[in-house]
Amino acid sequence: GRSAEEWLPIVGRHVSRRLRGRHIQLSPAPRAGVRTTTDGRPEPITALPEAARDLELLAAPFQGETVGVIKDRRAHAYTAVLAVRVTSFGLLDRAEQESRQAGWGGVLSGLAREGSPVSRIQWVERTVPADGDEVGRYLGEAWDHDTVAIDSLAMQSYLELTSSAPAATRDHELFVCLQIDAKRAWRQIKRTGGKQGADAGACSVLLRELEGLADHLTAADVRVVGALRPGMLAATVRVSFDPWTRPGIARLAAADRDRDGIDEAAAWPVGAETSWSVYRTDGAVHATYWIASWPRIDVGAAFLSPLLLHAQMVRAIAVTIEPVSPLKAIREVEAARTSDVADRELRGRMGFIETARRKRQTEAVARREEELADGHAAVRFAGYVTVSARTLDELERHCSEIEHAAQMARLELLRLYGQQEQGFTYTLPLCRGLR
């Protein structure tokens, strides 16, 4: 869908990287050795891929706990992540689904206020390989040896089920990410941080907004599991790059109850290779799509069900939303109304008739003005889908399935050719994907 001049920088950048050998990236961390700090603990060596080289994982204290915050030095932004759950949405009647959808709209309206430090909010829904030992651990804790014998028919049937189910199942994970703009909120950051510095002030402002977001999500019937701690956030990023490491991370957590995820150094891939249409990281290959077109007809609240519920391959769906302040939104829509009136008068004097397409655009602007007057928020958003697999053949098969599921949801997907590495980061919990 791009013109020739829009393709030129993408193609030029891709060819330049291949000629210089920068399409293959190998982490220097394995050869750097382990250094110890003054307290005798090992100091992690962090090596990030090129698309994430400006990121830094911070540990922010909050109410006696530690919350992971991702700092983007280039964008001057700070991001924190909430793990949430939404149950039984597909089983509700349409009225209840629309009620919950309205609750989500209320959450966005609360963020689109004048003077808000929040720059973006993102939700990420992904499927990951199931932890094959989780059912077995539950069985070991719940099994009453005196009541159910191991050689009984019921027990043997249960053991057979637990051994075969994980290979065919996927776990669903849902995250809501919140980002603040340090340039927009510099006064609040300076006042809050004081002598502790800009990072401490930014984390305090971010976590205050995150706490308010958690309260609003709870009011909208979304169960908030909690904010991700630094190790958990690192594990989330690691599973994104190589989903099949998740069972191993789960086993480490089960063996050591005090273990808090993984170190930041282990969050990033050891090796990565970018091609025109796929992105390979460690033991996985990925293909990222941009949701180029959303439904153009009226749809229900559950229109994404073919993607969220029925597409059971390993994949991640992310939508990044940028709230627009009410004053800016009103100015934009008033300018659009004025432009429409002037354009219609000019066309009338020149003898041009008003086309149906032009008429619908004018009606859309008028409807948007009414919605703003009723208190609704204006937002700018973009959606992306990443499909992951272990081999290229498996990836192409899953890509065909996800494209079919998107058609069922009345979405149009376009593969991000020449931008796979950058596009992959749009489905990470980083609130990326908008300029």
Side-chain angles (χ1 to χ4, degrees), residues 87-414:
T87 57
S88 306
F89 185 84
L91 302 178
L92 301 174
D93 57 39
R94 183 161 185 168
E96 182 63 24
Q97 288 179 348
E98 292 177 350
S99 175
R100 292 198 180 186
Q101 190 180 44
W104 172 247
V107 172
L108 296 180
S109 297
L111 298 176
R113 63 183 189 274
E114 294 294 339
S116 173
V118 175
S119 57
R120 292 175 183 176
I121 183 174
Q122 177 194 43
W123 62 261
V124 181
E125 199 277 343
R126 69 183 189 182
T127 56
V128 292
D131 178 12
D133 295 339
E134 185 176 7
V135 179
R137 289 194 297 268
Y138 171 78
L139 175 61
E141 296 172 357
W143 179 25
D144 187 351
H145 295 68
D146 298 331
T147 304
V148 182
I150 191 171
D151 57 352
S152 65
L153 180 61
M155 194 63 191
Q156 290 299 318
S157 176
Y158 195 86
L159 289 173
E160 182 180 356
L161 174 64
T162 57
S163 63
S164 60
T169 57
R170 299 283 184 267
D171 289 341
H172 287 256
E173 295 180 340
L174 180 59
F175 305 102
V176 176
C177 318
L178 191 70
Q179 183 182 90
I180 65 168
D181 186 346
K183 293 183 292 185
R184 181 191 303 178
W186 68 271
R187 288 189 177 87
Q188 300 180 44
I189 292 174
K190 184 178 181 180
R191 183 173 59 252
T192 305
K195 296 181 180 180
Q196 295 180 339
D199 286 348
C203 290
S204 297
V205 173
L206 172 62
L207 296 182
R208 184 181 63 205
E209 295 290 334
L210 192 71
E211 185 180 21
L213 173 64
D215 294 337
H216 292 139
L217 289 174
T218 302
D221 293 323
V222 177
R223 179 190 169 193
V224 178
V225 180
L228 297 188
R229 297 189 291 271
M232 298 170 63
L233 186 52
T236 300
V237 173
R238 176 61 185 169
V239 171
S240 297
F241 280 100
D242 192 350
W244 288 270
T245 61
R246 182 176 181 266
I249 295 175
R251 293 188 191 102
L252 290 175
D256 183 4
R257 295 294 183 181
D258 297 329
R259 186 181 183 92
D260 183 19
I262 61 176
D263 295 331
E264 180 187 2
W268 309 101
V270 176
E273 179 182 3
T274 305
S275 66
W276 183 250
S277 59
V278 300
Y279 180 48
R280 182 186 296 273
T281 56
D282 293 351
V285 286
H286 316 273
T288 300
Y289 291 84
W290 166 50
I291 302 178
S293 177
W294 295 83
R296 299 183 181 181
I297 60 175
D298 291 338
V299 293
F303 75 97
L304 284 177
S305 294
L307 272 180
L308 299 178
L309 300 181
H310 305 316
Q312 291 301 309
M313 71 288 294
V314 177
R315 52 104 187 111
I317 303 170
V319 175
T320 302
I321 304 169
E322 181 180 291
V324 180
S325 66
L327 182 59
K328 181 180 179 181
I330 291 173
R331 286 177 177 174
E332 289 178 351
V333 74
E334 288 179 348
R337 284 294 301 273
T338 303
S339 177
D340 285 342
V341 172
D343 186 66
R344 186 167 56 251
E345 292 179 355
L346 179 61
R347 285 174 175 270
R349 289 198 302 267
M350 299 295 293
F352 293 101
I353 62 173
E354 186 176 19
T355 63
R357 179 181 177 185
R358 188 69 187 178
K359 184 177 180 181
R360 289 187 178 182
Q361 290 177 348
T362 303
E363 293 174 351
V365 172
R367 185 167 60 250
R368 182 182 172 194
E369 185 179 25
E370 292 178 359
E371 291 172 349
L372 291 175
D374 292 338
H376 294 284
V379 298
R380 194 167 65 97
F381 66 96
Y384 301 90
V385 180
T386 292
V387 183
S388 303
R390 287 186 167 181
T391 64
L392 289 174
D393 291 340
E394 182 183 6
L395 177 66
E396 293 306 321
R397 185 171 67 253
H398 289 171
C399 285
S400 298
E401 295 174 6
I402 204 75
E403 290 171 5
H404 176 71
Q407 292 174 358
M408 297 296 293
R410 296 181 175 85
L411 304 176
E412 180 184 355
L413 299 184
L414 289 183

